[in-house]
Amino acid sequence: MGTQQQELEDWTQRLLQAFELDGTQVDINAVLDLAAAAAHNVVRPAAPLTTFVAGLAAGLAAGSGQADEAVAMRAAIRAAQRECDAEADRKEPK
């Protein structure tokens, strides 16, 4: 078996094929960074929820023609990351 990174890349490709999204580029590290931010700044179960909602937002934006796939994905991840950062700020003792 390969490295964890290779396993993630292979898994991502299998998922993309299963959803007939071959050729779609996914920034695995950005998604994992977002999941980590949600888990640490909100609560652990927020990680999959946050990445799902960001993916949904990106898909809707791309599907409606608001942006191409890559731009939509980057924008959704950035927006979700900002919310995670804001949540950390709200929880920080003053």
Side-chain angles (χ1 to χ4, degrees), residues 15-87:
L15 284 173
L16 291 169
Q17 288 172 348
F19 289 108
E20 299 179 2
L21 296 170
D22 296 327
T24 300
Q25 298 297 310
V26 175
D27 186 340
I28 295 170
N29 291 326
V31 173
L32 294 177
D33 289 347
L34 175 58
H40 289 85
N41 297 342
V42 186
V43 292
R44 190 170 183 186
L49 181 59
T50 302
T51 56
F52 173 81
V53 172
L56 178 61
L60 290 170
S64 70
Q66 286 180 303
D68 71 24
E69 289 176 3
V71 170
M73 283 191 270
R74 284 193 307 271
I77 288 172
R78 276 195 309 270
Q81 184 67 53
R82 280 193 305 271
E83 289 303 314
C84 290
D85 294 345
E87 184 65 14

